[in-house]
């Protein structure tokens, strides 16, 4: 009997969150899909796995993100964890009208015009990093692509946008990875302790940077937000200022790092696509969209029903947690032909990977631009690049990616 046929919804969810499921979640999504597009896992918990249901759930105003109020109801004592306090001070875990207010303050930095203007800077950063990779990989020495390139490029880009000095950027990778443990839905005190330590470190860093920018303003987002706070604290409180800078830093490079990692791994598994990436300027757009569909860095997001309501024909009771499984929707066979096949030429490819509705990822255009520039440049510079060992998936479900990916560059 197949896993799909054998698993009840609750068994399939448990399998998804197991170590094996975190390494390869896709068969577990199909085990859930066998029960429908919107599956009741148990009372109070539903999983959206169909593309149409996921897309609608992201846009329904009665499905909201977890915020301080819902934490007060569902997790007494949560305020003792600085990681949870930090995230609920950010727009990620805030609902309208506060979410609208906070998002408006930072959205100007991510307009199409401003993101497009970053293209030449991204090319220069990519070129410098490829020079470094060439030095490290001289004589066939293996290079960890994740550490030496996939992390360094996005953190350099978001660091420049925020105004984080280049010399300060090296230590962010571990802290940003640890702070996102609090987004995995765990209540394990030991795990939250790790996330709390990272949140404390990042908050302390930005508190220092905020004070510096008050004395020495610059043309960057930190300076802009400091001016907003100091002019009118009702528009942006002190805690909100720090929390949203932590969010912008973490979200600004973590998912893009894993998009680059997936993008190279898929290129090495599909040599014809790699050759076209290097040779055809226009191929990168469809390639990156298919990477986002086939192996999205963010696998899921969550919403809570604030009232009894209907979601495409299925009743969702008030108080229900709905796990919107973006990666499952991206492989819905009713939306995508041969969804388990990697096809960069796929027509009408609109993955759910950056969410939708009010919480659509602000940095989506920037992440796409970085990948569209960096992957072709990498493959043109190193046409003989090859894996020097397995790409080591980190033990996470929500944000899926590699801890290490050793390569040789010829």
């Amino acid at each position: 009997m197949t896993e799909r046929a054998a698993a009840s919804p609750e068994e399939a969810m448990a399998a998804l969150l197991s170590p094996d499921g975190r390494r390869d979640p896709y068969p577990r999504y199909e085990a859930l899909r066998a029960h429908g597009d919107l599956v009741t896992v148990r009372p109070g918990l539903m999983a959206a796995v169909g593309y149409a249901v996921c897309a609608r759930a992201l846009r329904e105003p009665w499905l909201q993100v977890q915020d301080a109020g819902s934490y007060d109801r569902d997790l007494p004592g949560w305020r003792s964890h600085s990681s949870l306090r930090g995230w609920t001070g950010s727009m990620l875990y805030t609902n309208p009208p506060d979410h609208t207010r906070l998002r408006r303050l930072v959205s100007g930095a991510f307009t199409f015009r401003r993101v497009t203007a970053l293209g030449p800077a991204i090319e220069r950063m990519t070129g410098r990093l490829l020079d470094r990779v060439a030095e490290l990989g001289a004589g066939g020495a293996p290079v960890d692509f994740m550490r030496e390139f996939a992390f360094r490029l996005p953190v350099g880009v978001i660091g420049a946008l925020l105004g984080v000095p280049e010399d300060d950027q090296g230590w962010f990778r571990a802290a940003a990875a640890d702070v996102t443990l609090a987004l995995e839905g765990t209540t394990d005190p030991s795990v939250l302790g790790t996330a709390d330590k990272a949140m404390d470190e990042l908050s302390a860093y930005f508190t220092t940077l905020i004070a510096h920018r008050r004395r020495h303003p610059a043309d960057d987002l930190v300076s802009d937000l400091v001016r907003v706070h100091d002019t009118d604290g009702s528009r942006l409180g002190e805690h909100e200022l720090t929390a949203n800078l932590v969010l912008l830093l973490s979200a600004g490079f973590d998912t893009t790092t894993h998009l680059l990692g997936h993008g190279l791994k898929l290129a090495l598994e599909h040599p014809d696509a790699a050759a076209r990436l290097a040779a055809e300027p226009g191929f990168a757009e469809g390639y990156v969209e298919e990477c986002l569909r086939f192996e999205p860095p963010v696998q899921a997001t969550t919403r809570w029903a604030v009232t009894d309501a209907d979601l495409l024909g299925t009743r969702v009771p008030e108080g229900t947690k709905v796990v919107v499984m973006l990666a499952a929707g991206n492989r819905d066979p009713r939306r995508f032909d041969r969804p388990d096949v990697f096809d960069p030429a796929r027509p009408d490819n609109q993955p759910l990977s950056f969410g939708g509705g009010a919480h659509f990822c602000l940095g989506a255009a920037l992440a796409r631009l970085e990948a569209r520039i960096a992957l072709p440049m990498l493959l043109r510079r190193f046409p003989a690049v090859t894996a020097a060992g397995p790409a080591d998936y980190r033990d996470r479900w929500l944000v899926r990616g590699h801890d290490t990916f050793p390569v040789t560059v010829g």
Side-chain angles (χ1 to χ4, degrees), residues 135-156:
E135 292 177 8
L136 294 172
V143 179
D144 182 359
F145 175 73
M146 300 307 297
R147 182 178 67 243
E148 302 299 342
F149 187 89
F151 160 70
R152 291 176 184 271
L153 177 63
V155 81

Side-chain angles (χ1 to χ4, degrees), residues 321-351:
K321 177 181 178 180
V322 179
V323 183
V324 185
M325 296 188 173
L326 309 172
N330 283 349
R331 296 202 185 192
D332 184 345
R334 289 192 290 179
R335 174 60 178 81
F336 299 101
D337 183 44
R338 300 184 304 153
D340 294 328
V341 174
F342 181 74
D343 178 11
R346 186 179 296 279
D348 190 30
N349 195 1
Q350 300 180 42

Side-chain angles (χ1 to χ4, degrees), residues 13 16-18 21-23 25 29 42 45 66 71 75 83-84 87 92-93 176-188 191-192 195 254-255 258 296-302 304 321 323 394-401:
M13 180 65 84
L16 175 63
L17 300 178
S18 71
R22 292 194 293 272
R23 279 190 293 271
Y29 294 139
R42 59 177 180 270
L45 177 63
Q66 186 154 22
Y71 267 123
L75 189 62
S83 57
L84 299 181
W87 287 124
L92 183 66
Y93 275 21
D178 286 345
V179 80
T180 58
L181 285 166
L183 304 180
E184 294 275 334
T186 182
T187 57
D188 181 344
V191 173
L192 287 177
D254 196 35
T255 54
H258 297 304
V298 178
Q299 295 274 298
T301 186
T302 52
W304 275 258
K321 177 181 178 180
V323 183
R394 64 181 187 172
D395 188 26
R396 299 281 189 90
W397 168 55
L398 188 66
V399 181
R400 177 172 167 80

Side-chain angles (χ1 to χ4, degrees), residues 109-110 114-115 118 156-164 219-222 366:
F110 297 93
R114 294 191 70 173
V115 167
L118 290 171
V157 173
I158 194 64
L161 194 64
L162 289 175
V164 173
D219 183 19
D220 56 47
L221 189 53
V222 172
L366 183 58

Side-chain angles (χ1 to χ4, degrees), residues 19-99:
D20 285 345
R22 292 194 293 272
R23 279 190 293 271
D24 184 11
Y26 298 102
R28 283 76 185 185
Y29 294 139
E30 296 312 307
L32 283 165
R33 199 191 312 281
H35 298 278
D37 285 348
L38 181 59
V39 182
T40 299
V41 177
R42 59 177 180 270
L45 177 63
M46 303 180 80
V49 294
Y51 182 95
V53 171
C54 288
R56 178 65 68 86
L58 294 168
R59 292 165 173 80
E60 288 288 1
W62 55 270
L63 284 171
Q64 298 189 352
V65 299
Q66 186 154 22
D67 57 14
S70 56
Y71 267 123
D72 284 338
R73 182 184 66 245
D74 300 332
L75 189 62
W78 69 274
R79 294 177 189 273
S80 65
H81 293 285
S82 57
S83 57
L84 299 181
R85 293 198 310 273
W87 287 124
T88 54
S90 76
M91 57 187 155
L92 183 66
Y93 275 21
T94 309
N95 292 294
D98 287 335
H99 174 266

Side-chain angles (χ1 to χ4, degrees), residues 19 77 104 116-117 292 328 350:
R104 186 177 295 124
T116 302
L292 288 165
Q350 300 180 42

Side-chain angles (χ1 to χ4, degrees), residues 206-218:
F206 277 114
T207 297
T208 301
L209 183 59
I210 287 166
H212 179 73
R213 285 291 181 254
R214 281 199 174 101
R215 297 190 302 271
H216 307 285

